[in-house]
């Protein structure tokens, strides 16, 4: 069976206030063309179809268009909800859509019920594991602790139990939306840390033929059978070196995997430039980036006058301006934003405690902070779903 693996469309998202809807529409057209040209037999979408729980109308219309165009190809699609989606909203009409060959899997309770798609060698069982918010699905899976590895492990136990009852030779594909250990992150993914744990081990998915992952925005191979497709578009400047692609996966009669990457259309290249304002404006080596979306980091010791307007004269698509003055050793010039960059809420809170009382939190205090952050994040998820 030939499978097209994609994820993290984030319909409705902008890039530094630039509307990406046209670029997302171009991707959908490319997706449909790829299905037709490469004789794809099944499409899998591993979550984060939308960028937020209540997407703008234009994003919903594009999603509707995508479903109609995929259905017209007569090629079944299996789709799960991600941590940016409202699972309940995305799952509306799932029964009717399933009759048209679009199979939505948004209910955690149904992880052990596959979509069965036949080919010349028998059935392939597609198991959809939507994003499993540990605090919300803990009771469903009967786990002692609300952690990603615990709930995903319990969900995969259900998958393996169902698969064991299928006829011998039934091949299997799992769609999951999670951060798997070994994956490379970028700045555009929402943090899903719970209980101090964000990632799950790859071994959680043992026992199936192919695992189509979503959540991380870089296309990557964790093993021959476990892969991220990544997002079809860049959603942060940290993705400047990403090659945005789809995975075209061939699953043979014995369940062996062969995969190749299909490039996605690039609306505009990205560039991260660093140097003094004068250097950026004058350096001839930067000419290839004049039509790119630019993030400029200025190293001038003194902030120049009107830097954005001056940059726009050469780089008209400059979207982000960062100041990082070159300073002598020992000169404390780090900005507040730079001090917080890359740090988790837990780490920032622990630093605050240390700043206020002169000593950081002990182990029980760290546990209290962790539980508080988990409770707030879970409550936020509940509010988004209820809106």
């Amino acid at each position: 069976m030939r499978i097209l693996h994609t994820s993290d469309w984030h319909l409705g998202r902008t890039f530094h206030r630039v509307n990406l809807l046209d670029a997302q529409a171009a991707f959908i057209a490319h997706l449909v063309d790829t299905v037709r040209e490469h004789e794809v037999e099944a499409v899998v979408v591993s979550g984060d179809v939308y960028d937020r729980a209540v997407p703008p109308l234009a994003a919903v219309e594009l999603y509707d268009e995508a479903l109609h165009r995929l259905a017209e190809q007569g090629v079944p699609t299996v789709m799960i909800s991600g941590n940016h989606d409202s699972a309940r909203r995305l799952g509306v009409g799932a029964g009717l859509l399933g009759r048209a060959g679009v199979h939505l899997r948004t209910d955690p309770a149904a992880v052990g019920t596959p979509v069965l798609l036949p080919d010349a060698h028998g059935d392939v069982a597609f198991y959809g594991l939507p994003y499993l918010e540990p605090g919300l699905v803990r009771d469903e899976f009967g786990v002692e602790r609300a952690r990603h590895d615990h709930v995903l492990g319990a969900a995969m136990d259900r998958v393996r139990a169902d698969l064991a009852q299928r006829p011998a030779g039934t091949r299997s594909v799992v769609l999951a939306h999670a951060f798997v250990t070994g994956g490379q992150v970028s700045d555009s993914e929402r943090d899903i840390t719970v209980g101090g744990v964000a990632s799950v081990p790859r071994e959680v998915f043992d026992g199936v033929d192919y695992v189509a992952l979503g959540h991380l925005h870089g296309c990557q191979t964790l093993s021959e059978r476990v892969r991220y497709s990544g997002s079809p578009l860049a959603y942060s400047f940290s993705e400047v070196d990403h090659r945005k692609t789809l995975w075209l996966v061939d699953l043979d009669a014995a369940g062996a995997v062969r995969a190749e990457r299909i490039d996605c259309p690039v609306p505009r290249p990205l560039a991260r430039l660093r140097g003094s304002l004068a250097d950026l404006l004058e350096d001839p080596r930067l000419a290839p980036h004049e039509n790119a979306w630019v993030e400029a980091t200025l190293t001038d010791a003194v902030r120049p006058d009107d830097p954005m307007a001056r940059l726009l004269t050469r780089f008209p698509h400059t979207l982000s301006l960062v100041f990082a003055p070159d300073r002598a050793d020992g000169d404390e010039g780090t900005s507040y934003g730079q001090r917080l960059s890359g740090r988790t809420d837990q780490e920032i809170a622990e630093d605050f405690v240390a700043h206020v009382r002169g000593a950081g939190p002990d182990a029980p205090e760290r546990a209290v902070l962790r539980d508080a952050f988990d409770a707030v994040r879970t409550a936020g998820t509940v509010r988004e779903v209820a809106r």
Side-chain angles (χ1 to χ4, degrees):
M1 180 171 286
R2 175 161 286 184
I3 302 162
L4 192 63
H5 168 196
T6 178
S7 73
D8 295 274
W9 295 358
H10 288 278
L11 300 181
R13 188 162 186 156
T14 61
F15 184 74
H16 290 267
R17 299 175 303 282
V18 173
N19 190 320
L20 293 178
L21 202 65
D22 287 345
Q24 291 173 331
F27 162 70
I28 295 299
H30 169 72
L31 175 73
V32 174
D33 289 344
T34 301
V35 168
R36 183 175 57 254
E37 292 169 9
H38 290 270
E39 300 181 338
V40 170
E41 296 169 89
V43 176
V44 297
V45 186
S46 298
D48 281 354
V49 177
Y50 291 121
D51 190 55
R52 56 184 185 267
V54 185
L57 179 58
V60 177
E61 290 173 339
L62 180 56
Y63 167 73
D64 181 64
E65 178 186 342
L67 295 191
H68 276 86
R69 295 185 66 179
L70 287 170
E72 287 169 0
Q73 297 300 311
V75 175
T77 298
V78 185
M79 182 180 294
I80 63 172
S81 49
N83 62 302
H84 281 250
D85 299 309
S86 165
R88 293 180 64 183
R89 280 188 171 84
L90 191 65
V92 169
L96 288 173
L97 287 169
R99 297 178 188 177
V102 179
H103 305 278
L104 296 173
R105 289 295 182 264
T106 62
D107 182 2
V111 295
T113 304
V115 177
L116 296 176
L117 301 179
D119 68 2
H121 307 291
D123 283 341
V124 179
F126 288 79
Y127 296 91
L129 277 58
Y131 173 67
L132 301 175
E133 176 64 48
L136 300 182
V137 302
R138 173 180 174 177
D139 292 340
E140 167 63 35
F141 292 105
V143 297
E144 183 177 346
R145 298 185 62 188
R147 289 175 36 143
H148 289 289
D149 50 350
H150 291 190
V151 297
L152 268 172
M156 281 302 301
D157 285 343
R158 293 189 187 183
V159 168
R160 285 185 284 263
D162 180 86
L163 190 58
Q165 299 175 22
R166 300 282 166 188
T170 300
R171 290 153 295 158
S172 53
V173 174
V174 165
L175 291 71
H177 195 86
F179 177 16
V180 179
T181 304
Q184 299 298 310
V185 302
S186 60
D187 291 345
S188 54
E189 299 116 5
R190 184 181 294 172
D191 181 30
I192 58 172
T193 301
V194 174
V197 178
S199 65
V200 300
R202 192 182 68 202
E203 290 74 20
V204 163
F205 299 103
D206 284 352
V208 296
D209 293 311
Y210 184 71
V211 181
L213 293 174
H215 179 57
L216 299 185
H217 289 180
C219 181
Q220 46 202 298
T221 300
L222 303 186
S223 77
E224 284 305 304
R225 297 186 182 276
V226 182
R227 300 171 188 265
Y228 281 101
S229 66
S231 60
L233 299 171
Y235 292 121
S236 73
F237 278 103
S238 66
E239 300 166 60
V240 63
D241 294 323
H242 286 192
R243 175 188 165 198
K244 297 300 184 181
T245 59
L246 306 162
W247 278 118
L248 189 65
V249 178
D250 285 318
L251 195 64
D252 74 10
V257 171
R258 186 177 72 246
E260 66 173 296
R261 296 172 70 177
I262 305 294
D263 288 297
C264 294
V266 179
R268 191 179 297 279
L270 306 185
R272 272 182 153 171
L273 309 182
R274 182 184 182 91
S276 69
L277 179 60
D279 287 343
L280 297 187
L281 293 176
E282 298 169 8
D283 190 341
R285 294 173 297 179
L286 301 182
H289 304 303
E290 290 176 354
N291 198 42
W293 279 323
V294 168
E295 177 187 76
T297 298
L298 299 185
T299 59
D300 301 80
V302 176
R303 185 172 301 205
D305 293 332
D306 209 7
M308 178 60 89
R310 294 164 69 184
L311 280 169
L312 288 170
T313 61
R314 184 179 188 189
F315 306 102
H317 303 288
T318 302
L319 301 180
S320 176
L321 186 57
V322 180
F323 293 96
D326 286 335
R327 300 180 185 273
D329 291 342
D331 187 354
E332 294 294 334
T334 306
S335 71
Y336 180 72
Q338 289 169 322
R339 292 198 301 272
L340 298 188
S341 178
R343 301 182 65 74
T344 66
D345 292 340
Q346 176 88 14
E347 291 169 333
I348 293 168
E350 290 180 12
D351 286 350
F352 176 75
V353 172
H355 173 73
V356 169
R357 74 178 187 192
D362 57 22
E365 291 169 333
R366 286 197 297 273
V368 169
L369 287 170
R370 185 166 57 245
D371 290 345
F373 281 121
D374 289 349
V376 169
R377 197 174 53 80
T378 302
T381 300
V382 171
R383 284 195 301 274
E384 279 196 357
V385 170
R387 286 175 61 189

